[in-house]
Amino acid sequence: MPISSSANRRIVRASAVYDLVVTAAFATPWTFALAHDQISALNMALGGAALPAFTPFHLLFACLMGSIVLVWSVLRILEPTRRLGRFDGVGRFLFSTWMAWCLFETGAPVLWLFVVPEFAWGVAQWWPAGREADGQRYNGVLSRTSTAC
């Protein structure tokens, strides 16, 4: 059963706020160091091992990911369209695939706290939704059939 376009916009915006909260600490080396320690402690509390230390190269990629997710989150907060939600859903399915792979490889229990919501947000944003109320019409995900925007 399709959801309304206004409900879809709320889902897209909520997923963006979730990303902003969860990913903000990944944007700088200093905040990531704190987050890494907290995630490692949580993993140990859940019965896993301490997470390995990050080298500057690991940190670079974590901060690049954190920075781009923050920018992407702000875009979806300001423009919570079905189209951006669909693109975000694809990204979430990719992210959850790599998280599931890492879970399989490492058995780190803390990954369940990331992979489940990631996949769920992807499903929520790919759920069938009504037409955009603002006049934007899309034929599928990629081709725009309106000159609006």
Side-chain angles (χ1 to χ4, degrees):
M1 179 167 118
I3 61 171
S4 69
S5 64
S6 63
N8 180 261
R9 282 192 300 278
R10 285 192 303 273
I11 290 168
V12 171
R13 184 174 280 128
S15 75
V17 170
Y18 167 84
D19 283 348
L20 200 61
V21 170
V22 170
T23 313
F26 287 72
T28 73
W30 308 279
T31 54
F32 180 77
L34 296 171
H36 182 272
D37 290 345
Q38 294 301 312
I39 295 168
S40 184
L42 183 55
N43 194 56
M44 290 188 297
L46 293 171
L51 299 182
F54 270 40
T55 69
F57 276 115
H58 297 111
L59 197 53
L60 167 67
F61 287 103
C63 292
L64 288 174
M65 185 272 305
S67 298
I68 198 66
V69 170
L70 288 181
V71 171
W72 177 240
S73 298
V74 170
L75 173 63
R76 289 178 294 123
I77 289 169
L78 297 174
E79 300 286 337
T81 64
R82 181 178 53 194
R83 184 173 190 240
L84 292 181
R86 297 290 197 248
F87 278 106
D88 189 62
V90 170
R92 288 182 185 280
F93 293 140
L94 290 169
F95 272 42
S96 60
T97 298
W98 308 136
M99 289 177 194
W101 168 81
C102 189
L103 178 62
F104 177 76
E105 290 291 321
T106 67
V110 75
L111 287 170
W112 285 108
L113 302 176
F114 292 93
V115 71
V116 171
E118 197 69 27
F119 187 78
W121 281 119
V123 170
Q125 292 182 107
W126 270 88
W127 200 262
R131 288 253 179 233
E132 294 289 329
D134 61 2
Q136 295 179 13
R137 293 186 309 270
Y138 299 100
N139 181 11
V141 175
L142 296 176
S143 64
R144 187 179 309 187
T145 59
S146 171
T147 58
C149 306

